[in-house]
Each structure stands twice: as structure tokens, then as C-alpha cells.
Amino acid sequence: MTSRTTRTDDARQIHLAAHFPGVNNTTVWADPRSRSQIDFASFEHLARTAERGLFDFFFLAEGLRLREQRGRIHDLDVVGRPESITVLNALAAVTERLGLAATVNATFNEPFETARRFATLDHLSGGRAAWNVVTSSDAFTGENFRRGGYLDRADRYTRAAEFVELARELWDAGTGHPVRHQGRHFTVEGDFTVPRPPQGHPVVIQAGDSAEGREFAASAADVIFTRHGTLEAGQSFYADVKARLAAYGREPDDLKIMPGVTVVLGDTAAEAQEQAAEIRRQQVSPQTAILALEQVWGVDLSSYDPDGPLPDIDPVPDSGLSQGRTRRGDVVEIAEKWRAVSRAKGLSIRQTVIETTGRQSFIGTPDAVAAELDAFVQGRAADGFILVPHLTPGGLDPFVDRVVPLLQERGVFRTEYTGSTLRSHLGLRTPERILTA
């Protein structure tokens, strides 16, 4: 058992956030404790739990089109994808201190309306709004919008950077100050309709590990939502992104790095590992395993046995079999990696998918998990974590009840909120007001 160390020194403080798992492979749909992905009661339960745990913020993802595979809607998407800011405006009324982060796409929205919606959320919540900026370059998603998939992949971050810049100009202007902006992607000349937000600028979050994403985060974001599998990989990513900040006149603490993680707890290490293995088996059903394989190989593999070996055929890049999904690397390289793992460990298709597609997890007793989370932050592999529970809406409760008190005993997590805004929770400066008109 890991000892419960009480810290009285200047140990780095851990930031925590909660992600509503929604529509993805993390959620264990078959568990009888799993509830609706769209009923307000589910959002309220998880948000109230996060606030009870003194988390920095509650985070909602969003998709602008249901994904397809083999020309059919992907099974895990059929429960729907509610609009995130609408949900968070409702949650502002049933929470008091918790930050509220919404995902809004910078490719298929407009700066004026987006800035207006976030300024409104910031006012209604008393300064707790955050915007997770995402981009899209695929024509499949674009078919739901008038302009379609017009944007070249290389331009998505240049548009996003100008989008955020213009939103901040609008927030700074508030009411009574005209905005005149002329750039490559946007020309705006008019008056903003909402007073300057309580935070000055709502917190900006960016998700992405690519070189372009890292640079965008260094230039424009307050938080980066990332993923990495080991302490060493986290330290490498952390050092790389933090080193980019100086070029934009920023300090290391101006950007918080918070990987998305899962946590599985047990009374013993063996029990936790057993529970984690069962969760992964529930997350990757035989059908899901074949679908995951097809997303890499790019061909119909429905005739393959999920308990049999991997295909001996080569993957087909850009086959179009799977639509609306973000590719996470070269499919040929991924296939070779999966084959190597399968050969080395004698794994079937399903076992290989389970082995290779799990999100970074902390598995163990509450003491051990608290110690490992602390080690990542003290070792500068992260500034904190965005927890992605496998159950909706009660999956966060065990962590809040059993791990948060141990982090508090270590002196690395707050025992009460000391501020009222999300910026204060994250230790971020309030931006000075700059009027460009």
C-alpha cells in the first residue's frame, strides 16, 4: 500500500476536470448503472459530483454529424449529440463554482455568434465559461453546412487562430465599442451586443497533439486537452509545449496541460486490475472490435471472427469506409503496430483492440492512484487531468469519494474553492482589455 503523505511544502497543485463521456467507446453501455446520454438529470448528476469534488471545470464534447461506417450510422452515435452550450447554460443554474466548458467548432461557426454565446454563458454563470476550440477539415461533416467541406486541411488552424483572435476582440469591446477587423478569413465591422464577460475572456481550451495543434495551443489556448500513455511521454509533450510559449510572450503557467484519463479503483491492486480488464471487455464487444479494425484497415471485415487472428491483407488508406472520424496516425503504421502486438502476445482481433486502444488509465487502490496522479504532476508530465469516467452519470463518484480526500491529505489539491471564476480555479491571469477600434 502506498503511504498517505501529507505535504506542507510548495508542492505543485493538481488541477482536475470532469468530461461527460457521452458518445464514445469509453462508456460501458451494457452496465445496468448506465443511464441516458441526453436527459438533463445525467448532466446534472455528473456536474454536481465534480463540484462536490472541487474540480476546476466540467467538460462537454460535441459532434456536428453522426459518424458512419459501411454507409450506416455508427452504433455508438445513435443516442444523439446535444448542443453543449445549451446544456451548460442549464447547468449554470444548478452549480455555483464549477467551470463550464463547451466544445464549439471553429470551422463551421462564426466568431460573432460564438463570442456572443460564450459571453452570455460567462455572465449567466458568474465567470465560469470555457470554450474548447476544435477544427474540422472533412467534407463529410461539412455537408451539414452551407459552405460544405471547402476548407483545406492546412487552413483549419489559421482560421481557428483568427477566429479566437476576433472573439477576444469582441469580448474586449463589449457593448458601446465598435469592432473593426479585417483578416484572411473574417471581416467584421459592427458593435458587440453583450457586455465584456466577467472573466475578461472565457477560458480557451484546445485539444490536439499534432505539431500544428501544439503551436496553436502555445499561441492562443489557456488549457490543452491531450493524451499520453506513460510518464516519460507526458514529460516529453509537456516540455515541448511549454517551450513554445516564450515565442508568444507567455509564461509556462499561462497554459495548463491536462491529459484525458480514466481511473479504475479497487480495494486491492489485484481487484482493480480485474475490474479494469472487465471494463475493457465491456467497452470492446466483438462487434466493436471488428468496427475498430475496419477503421484501420479501411475495408469490410464483417466476415472475420473477432476471436480469430488479424487480417493478413494490407490496409487501404483513405478508403472512405469510415466517415466523420478523426484519424490518429498513418493506418499502415497502426496496422503494423497492431500486428506486432498480436504476434508478440498471441492475441486475437478483439484482444488486440483491447490492448492497443485503451485510453491512459490509472488503475489501483485509492492510495496508489493518488500517488501516481501526484507523481505525474510533480514530475511535470501534466498540470492536472480531465477524468473520463466509463459510466454515465455515476462514474465519477468513487474518485471524488475515495481519491480526492487523499490528494487533499497530500497537500496537492484544494480543500475549498478560493475564487468564483474558472480563471481563478486554474490560476490564470485576467487578460487586460485591449480595444483595437
Side-chain angles (χ1 to χ4, degrees):
M1 176 179 292
T2 305
S3 62
R4 301 184 183 184
T5 304
T6 301
R7 291 263 176 81
T8 57
D9 56 14
D10 58 351
R12 302 181 72 232
Q13 295 297 294
I14 295 175
H15 294 282
L16 293 175
H19 181 270
F20 187 87
V23 184
N24 57 41
N25 290 334
T26 299
T27 304
V28 176
W29 307 93
D31 193 296
R33 295 169 294 174
S34 181
R35 295 292 182 263
S36 172
Q37 306 296 309
I38 196 168
D39 284 353
F40 183 69
S42 292
F43 296 105
E44 182 178 10
H45 180 106
L46 201 146
R48 285 185 182 272
T49 302
E51 186 162 74
R52 178 166 61 86
L54 305 175
F55 280 36
D56 290 353
F57 61 89
F58 173 87
F59 175 58
L60 283 176
E62 183 170 76
L64 297 179
R65 181 163 181 175
L66 296 178
R67 294 166 295 185
E68 294 182 3
Q69 196 147 327
R70 294 191 231 125
R72 298 172 53 198
I73 293 174
H74 185 63
D75 287 352
L76 296 182
D77 273 7
V78 296
V79 297
R81 291 172 175 261
E83 197 279 315
S84 55
I85 292 187
T86 303
V87 175
L88 295 183
N89 278 320
L91 289 177
V94 296
T95 56
E96 295 180 357
R97 299 291 186 93
L98 183 69
L100 303 169
T103 301
V104 174
N105 193 296
T107 303
F108 298 114
N109 285 283
E110 293 297 323
F112 177 87
E113 182 60 20
T114 299
R116 183 169 175 258
R117 292 162 67 200
F118 277 105
T120 301
L121 175 60
D122 209 47
H123 280 286
L124 292 177
S125 65
R128 296 187 280 137
W131 171 22
N132 178 41
V133 182
V134 296
T135 63
S136 178
S137 61
D138 66 284
F140 177 76
T141 300
E143 289 174 359
N144 274 346
F145 297 86
R146 176 176 60 83
R147 292 188 306 275
Y150 77 98
L151 189 65
D152 290 338
R153 185 177 182 86
D155 290 336
R156 62 178 183 162
Y157 279 117
T158 61
R159 177 184 166 96
E162 187 180 342
F163 196 119
V164 173
E165 175 191 353
L166 178 50
R168 286 172 168 159
E169 290 177 20
L170 293 163
W171 291 329
D172 277 341
T175 53
H177 296 279
V179 172
R180 292 178 175 83
H181 174 99
Q182 186 166 356
R184 176 183 173 186
H185 293 279
F186 306 105
T187 298
V188 172
E189 184 169 343
D191 298 309
F192 200 46
T193 61
V194 182
R196 192 171 193 249
Q199 294 186 103
H201 302 162
V203 169
V204 170
I205 304 170
Q206 191 271 336
D209 287 353
S210 67
E212 297 93 337
R214 296 183 190 200
E215 202 65 29
F216 176 58
S219 67
D222 302 304
V223 176
I224 183 167
F225 177 28
T226 183
R227 63 178 65 204
H228 45 67
T230 65
L231 178 69
E232 293 74 18
Q235 289 171 329
S236 176
F237 179 87
Y238 189 97
D240 177 77
V241 173
K242 295 282 186 173
R244 297 171 187 255
L245 293 167
Y248 302 97
R250 307 180 70 195
E251 300 294 329
D253 284 343
D254 291 340
L255 175 65
K256 307 300 181 185
I257 296 176
M258 300 179 68
V261 300
T262 61
V263 172
V264 180
L265 302 175
D267 291 332
T268 66
E271 179 185 308
Q273 289 292 342
E274 183 179 345
Q275 289 187 26
E278 177 58 26
I279 289 168
R280 288 299 291 142
R281 284 193 292 270
Q282 290 177 306
Q283 290 169 329
V284 184
S285 67
Q287 178 191 19
T288 299
I290 294 299
L291 292 173
L293 198 71
E294 289 179 343
Q295 290 157 20
V296 175
W297 260 259
V299 295
D300 186 341
L301 300 174
S302 57
S303 63
Y304 278 70
D305 180 0
D307 294 322
L310 268 64
D312 58 4
I313 59 176
D314 292 330
V316 180
D318 302 318
S319 69
L321 183 85
S322 179
Q323 297 270 32
R325 188 177 302 276
T326 301
R327 179 179 296 166
R328 301 194 179 278
D330 180 81
V331 294
V332 175
E333 293 180 2
I334 295 172
E336 285 304 313
K337 175 184 175 182
W338 286 20
R339 282 171 169 156
V341 170
S342 178
R343 286 194 299 267
K345 299 186 178 183
L347 303 180
S348 67
I349 289 173
R350 186 183 181 194
Q351 291 169 331
T352 301
V353 173
I354 289 173
E355 179 79 11
T356 57
T357 62
R359 186 186 295 271
Q360 164 67 45
S361 295
F362 293 90
I363 302 168
T365 65
D367 279 313
V369 168
E372 194 172 4
L373 292 171
D374 191 17
F376 266 67
V377 173
Q378 305 311 322
R380 286 176 166 74
D383 293 308
F385 307 92
I386 298 177
L387 273 71
V388 187
H390 68 276
L391 283 179
T392 302
L396 191 64
D397 293 65
F399 183 91
V400 168
D401 293 336
R402 304 183 68 186
V403 178
V404 166
L406 301 180
L407 296 175
Q408 292 168 332
E409 286 183 20
R410 288 173 164 268
V412 296
F413 190 67
R414 64 172 66 92
T415 56
E416 61 180 355
Y417 287 115
T418 57
S420 60
T421 70
L422 178 53
R423 283 190 173 274
S424 66
H425 302 342
L426 291 166
L428 297 171
R429 294 175 291 180
T430 300
E432 296 181 5
R433 186 172 191 173
I434 300 174
L435 298 178
T436 58

